[in-house]
Amino acid sequence: MTPQWQQVKELFNDALDVAPAERARFLDDKCREDVELRREVESLLSSSEWETSFLESPAIADLVEPVKGKGKRLEPGDSLGHYEIVGQIGSGGMGEVYSAIDRNLGRQVAVKILNQDFNRHESNLRRFIQEAKLASALNHPNILVIHEIGETTDSHYIISEFIDGKTLREVLKERTLSLSEVLEISIQTANALAVAHRAHLIHRDIKPENIMIRPDGYAKILDFGLAKLVEQNGGSVHASAEPTDGQTAGTIAGDETTTLRQGQTAHGVILGTVNYMSPEQAKGEPVDGRTDIFSLGAVIYEMIAGRTPFAGDSNSETLANLTNAEPEPFSSLGVRVPDEFERLVAKAVRKSRDERYQTMDALLSDLRALSSSSSAKRGTVSEDVYWLYLQGKCLVGTHSPVDARAAVEYFENAIGLDPVFAAAYAGLAQAHVIASHGGGGSQSELMNKAKDAANRALEIDASLGEGHAVLGEIEYLYEWDFEKAEKSFLQAVHLDPRCELAHSIYGEYLASVGRFSEAIPEIRIAYEIDPKSCANQVIHGRILYLARRFDEANVQFKRVIEIFPQWTTANGWIWLVYEMKGDYDKAFEWLIINQQRNNVPPDRIETYETAWRQGGWGQVGEKMLEMETSQSPTANFYATARNYVRVGKHDLAMEFLKKAFDNRQYQMTWLNVDPFFDPLRGDPRFDELVRSVGLP
């Protein structure tokens, strides 16, 4: 008969206080003929020997007595600095968690306060502070954001973002997830862990309780308190213990066994909850990023099957299953999933780490490929139609007006074969939008066609995230209805959190209205969804330029050139950024590079070089203006206005900005934040133009 866990827990805690050499005699006396009780306690005692002195932590929380704080509990209305407590939202072995209002910024936050008893031990404080530092170093939208770490006279605390959502555990108790939901949560979690691994951090406690799901579908990883720095040594990645005096974190290759024996001060058990820990964790062996791969694989298995892959009737049985048993195939559990998905999960939870995915990036790549094959064909059953659609998407992805015009034909052919293929209408709308940016047709006509196509996509499938995203793009770039556009972007992200277009254009929108701290995470999400998108990398640089983070902007644009040397647009932004910095030598150098890479005739380049020698950057500006105004009437009026500002002709700059306004050039959405027009700010004509666009 399986013993009661309260009995196991009490005996386990008592045994920890007995010297190791005396424990066998102690258990003889306490267990007598109860073989099962003794086996459970010995299993936990054995596990506890693998605890690290670096981050000693009870990982099987229900088997270890929580630390009871003896201080006064915070009540609603109490203050902690400029944070006003709203109420308690959780508690555990480390301390208590409260919701609070940041009175300085008017936002809701979470406050984690270390219990007083826990607070007295230096190792506990190290773990508490380590958790905050590790989490705060990982700036990623799928990882809990740490705002502040601090202390009062009698406690330490962490201030983090407040997540309005439920743990994955709570979600799984409420309902069965669809395959698309499982993939979405898996992709977001793997993406965040991949970032952590690149920073040489492994989590070591991935489980449903440590993944929060917001109402909009965003997943957030919690509790990097068990995380460990890792180092690369001879091609492999090893977990590293906390440095001793004079040593640097991340440089000491250690394992779970050695570090515990340096000092056992906590009643801890096994790092990582049993049902989700890797076999190497269960054996107390060194761990690396592949332990997180195993744990995530176990979570994915549970999301699909409704049970963990190695669960036993007791912890000792589960530990045995981890090292000896194979998970049941989904088909034997009555669950149907694509064969590719079953193979993916099976590879993630292989017992031998050498047979698993070797990197989180590799697992993430396969999850994304599976997601694309599962969802992109939505709305059509024809391979021919789908192929036409993909060709159109590839052309649209270059953000070239010429390619966009070619893409129109592919989307129209797909629609001709399948008139109710919603995704093709959304693609057609996007192609018209991009084509309108490069002349070759009436912008108003193209944008009207784009809106008709976007509306048709949503008539067919109102849940199509991309349809809402491109509709928002039209409302933002052409109609200048900023409030309506933001609603469309948020709806797109709510319906499809992995919609690359929604995050990309929403990032641009947020920058144009000056919300840069929100814009940069959005564009990063976009190119994490599609790392091959050069356009999103350029947009990221442009947002940094508009935010006046000039050094970062040029680093980003130069990265684009390194990865995508054929994308010459980035060269033009580099010299513009140097000009904004006042570094005219570099600005001229990159202007010439830009001319050469765009195959500008040599005589034009010579004109610029002569102007530079004769009159410096001011004379070059005059020549650029001369070249610009000699072009056809389809010239970029916004760019011409910049050229007039460059040479100090502000009245003419205002004339061309008015022309850009009358032609509804999309760049006018940048007007309120573009640093180039700072000399015009305060001019009533300029301020009125900003208001006319509808910008705040």
Side-chain angles (χ1 to χ4, degrees):
M1 179 178 178
T2 303
Q4 294 294 317
W5 283 118
Q6 182 63 30
Q7 183 183 10
V8 174
K9 180 168 55 176
E10 290 175 356
L11 186 55
F12 167 69
N13 284 327
D14 289 342
L16 282 173
D17 293 329
V18 177
E22 301 297 323
R23 282 178 185 165
R25 185 179 304 169
F26 171 80
L27 292 175
D28 286 342
D29 180 59
K30 294 294 183 181
C31 297
R32 298 189 183 278
E33 303 301 322
D34 194 335
V35 176
E36 184 65 25
L37 173 62
R38 179 164 186 154
R39 185 170 64 193
E40 291 288 350
V41 175
E42 286 181 335
S43 174
L44 294 176
L45 287 169
S46 176
S47 300
S48 73
E49 294 178 1
W50 307 327
E51 178 75 26
T52 66
S53 60
F54 170 48
L55 290 175
E56 293 157 325
S57 164
I60 311 174
D62 59 345
L63 296 183
V64 184
E65 293 286 0
V67 178
K68 304 297 184 183
K70 296 180 180 179
K72 178 183 176 182
R73 175 173 294 181
L74 295 177
E75 301 293 342
D78 287 350
S79 293
L80 186 72
H82 57 87
Y83 301 100
E84 181 178 335
I85 301 300
V86 174
Q88 186 173 353
I89 55 177
S91 63
M94 283 182 64
E96 297 172 338
V97 183
Y98 297 86
S99 64
I101 297 296
D102 181 341
R103 289 193 292 257
N104 285 355
L105 297 176
R107 63 183 175 186
Q108 190 171 12
V109 297
V111 180
K112 187 174 188 178
I113 298 180
L114 195 61
N115 280 333
Q116 286 186 3
D117 287 353
F118 204 90
N119 191 48
R120 293 193 183 99
H121 299 286
E122 184 180 349
S123 61
N124 294 339
L125 288 176
R126 285 203 310 270
R127 179 196 166 189
F128 187 79
I129 294 169
Q130 183 75 11
E131 176 184 347
K133 289 181 177 179
L134 291 173
S136 64
L138 298 172
N139 182 16
H140 191 276
N142 295 119
I143 296 175
L144 180 76
V145 176
I146 299 295
H147 298 313
E148 180 183 341
I149 177 172
E151 62 180 295
T152 64
T153 55
D154 57 0
S155 64
H156 287 70
Y157 61 86
I158 296 174
I159 308 296
S160 71
E161 68 174 313
F162 177 85
I163 302 176
D164 181 15
K166 298 177 179 179
T167 66
L168 179 57
R169 169 67 64 222
E170 292 172 312
V171 173
L172 292 175
K173 286 180 179 178
E174 292 177 353
R175 61 188 177 88
T176 301
L177 299 177
S178 66
L179 181 60
S180 62
E181 288 176 306
V182 171
L183 279 168
E184 183 55 39
I185 293 169
S186 302
I187 287 170
Q188 292 187 61
T189 306
N191 197 2
L193 289 170
V195 170
H197 289 183
R198 288 182 217 126
H200 309 302
L201 292 170
I202 52 177
H203 189 285
R204 299 197 298 167
D205 197 24
I206 293 299
K207 57 187 178 184
E209 289 78 4
N210 278 339
I211 301 172
M212 287 285 290
I213 309 297
R214 294 189 336 197
D216 61 4
Y218 261 81
K220 288 271 189 177
I221 297 181
L222 312 179
D223 194 5
F224 266 80
L226 293 184
K228 204 170 191 180
L229 292 168
V230 295
E231 68 163 355
Q232 293 185 340
N233 183 12
S236 61
V237 182
H238 300 283
S240 300
E242 182 181 3
T244 57
D245 292 342
Q247 295 173 309
T248 303
T251 62
I252 315 167
D255 63 54
E256 308 290 315
T257 306
T258 304
T259 50
L260 171 73
R261 290 172 183 167
Q262 295 171 352
Q264 299 179 2
T265 60
H267 289 189
V269 248
I270 304 172
L271 288 172
T273 305
V274 172
N275 280 321
Y276 308 94
M277 68 169 54
S278 64
E280 56 268 26
Q281 277 181 298
K283 296 175 183 177
E285 296 175 349
V287 296
D288 55 29
R290 291 171 292 182
T291 199
D292 283 347
I293 292 172
F294 185 96
S295 298
L296 179 55
V299 171
I300 297 172
Y301 184 100
E302 183 177 9
M303 286 193 284
I304 297 169
R307 50 164 290 182
T308 53
F310 302 103
D313 293 332
S314 66
N315 282 303
S316 55
E317 184 177 342
T318 300
L319 287 168
N321 290 344
L322 283 170
T323 56
N324 300 316
E326 294 297 327
E328 289 190 61
F330 293 131
S331 56
S332 67
L333 299 173
V335 179
R336 297 189 63 181
V337 298
D339 291 343
E340 296 91 340
F341 205 177
E342 182 139 21
R343 285 193 288 271
L344 179 151
V345 178
K347 185 175 180 179
V349 295
R350 293 269 167 80
K351 298 190 182 305
S352 169
R353 63 184 116 186
D354 292 333
E355 296 177 3
R356 269 178 237 152
Y357 286 96
Q358 294 301 289
T359 65
M360 190 63 72
D361 280 314
L363 172 58
L364 177 60
S365 177
D366 279 3
L367 283 167
R368 282 175 170 160
L370 186 59
S371 178
S372 297
S373 64
S374 298
S375 61
K377 292 185 181 180
R378 182 174 73 175
T380 186
V381 295
S382 167
E383 290 291 338
D384 291 338
V385 171
Y386 183 60
W387 182 246
L388 288 167
Y389 167 78
L390 286 182
Q391 289 177 294
K393 288 289 285 183
C394 287
L395 288 167
V396 163
T398 68
H399 281 228
S400 159
V402 174
D403 287 345
R405 287 194 285 273
V408 167
E409 184 176 353
Y410 283 105
F411 290 126
E412 288 180 338
N413 287 339
I415 291 167
L417 294 173
D418 187 348
V420 291
F421 185 20
Y425 284 99
L428 178 62
Q430 177 68 3
H432 283 314
V433 169
I434 296 173
S436 76
H437 295 168
S442 165
Q443 176 173 270
S444 61
E445 180 183 352
L446 289 170
M447 293 301 271
N448 287 334
K449 287 182 177 181
K451 190 163 187 178
D452 288 343
N455 284 330
R456 180 60 181 141
L458 294 175
E459 286 173 7
I460 298 169
D461 185 355
S463 67
L464 184 66
E466 190 168 338
H468 289 280
V470 72
L471 183 61
E473 185 174 22
I474 297 163
E475 293 162 342
Y476 159 48
L477 293 178
Y478 182 66
E479 296 178 351
W480 298 342
D481 190 333
F482 294 90
E483 183 177 350
K484 186 184 289 185
E486 182 163 25
K487 290 179 180 177
S488 293
F489 297 140
L490 293 174
Q491 178 72 349
V493 172
H494 172 72
L495 292 169
D496 183 4
R498 304 302 294 176
C499 179
E500 176 261 340
L501 174 63
H503 290 291
S504 174
I505 192 64
Y506 189 35
E508 286 197 85
Y509 165 91
L510 290 167
S512 72
V513 297
R515 291 157 59 184
F516 300 112
S517 63
E518 299 172 71
I520 291 172
E522 285 295 328
I523 193 60
R524 283 176 175 163
I525 293 171
Y527 64 69
E528 284 168 2
I529 293 171
D530 183 6
K532 299 184 294 298
S533 171
C534 178
N536 287 333
Q537 298 276 358
V538 172
I539 292 169
H540 185 193
R542 193 162 67 215
I543 291 172
L544 290 167
Y545 159 79
L546 294 174
R548 301 161 194 260
R549 293 163 61 171
F550 298 131
D551 290 334
E552 295 173 71
N554 264 349
V555 168
Q556 178 65 22
F557 288 130
K558 289 175 182 178
R559 182 182 297 127
V560 172
I561 294 171
E562 181 180 346
I563 302 173
F564 308 97
Q566 75 281 6
W567 197 279
T568 57
T569 304
N571 293 282
W573 282 101
I574 291 173
W575 69 257
L576 183 65
V577 172
Y578 276 125
E579 181 180 17
M580 289 295 94
K581 284 170 58 67
D583 189 342
Y584 300 125
D585 289 337
K586 281 289 187 182
F588 179 74
E589 176 187 338
W590 278 93
L591 171 65
I592 299 303
I593 291 172
N594 184 47
Q595 301 293 305
Q596 293 169 338
R597 290 183 176 175
N598 281 288
N599 298 315
V600 171
D603 59 336
R604 182 169 176 176
I605 295 176
E606 185 177 346
T607 298
Y608 287 141
E609 290 174 336
T610 301
W612 174 255
R613 288 193 299 270
Q614 292 177 347
W617 186 249
Q619 189 66 33
V620 171
E622 293 283 356
K623 289 299 177 183
M624 283 192 280
L625 178 60
E626 181 182 315
M627 298 291 185
E628 180 73 24
T629 53
S630 66
Q631 291 180 357
S632 68
T634 59
N636 185 328
F637 299 119
Y638 189 88
T640 303
R642 275 181 172 167
N643 282 332
Y644 277 119
V645 170
R646 180 178 285 115
V647 297
K649 298 179 179 180
H650 293 176
D651 288 342
L652 287 169
M654 287 302 310
E655 284 186 26
F656 275 85
L657 282 178
K658 184 62 168 60
K659 289 182 179 182
F661 175 86
D662 292 339
N663 285 269
R664 302 193 80 81
Q665 277 189 231
Y666 74 93
Q667 293 98 329
M668 290 294 286
T669 59
W670 308 341
L671 193 60
N672 209 22
V673 291
D674 190 341
F676 214 101
F677 292 110
D678 284 355
L680 300 182
R681 302 193 193 282
D683 184 322
R685 297 170 298 172
F686 183 84
D687 295 343
E688 178 58 31
L689 201 56
V690 169
R691 285 191 292 271
S692 298
V693 175
L695 290 161

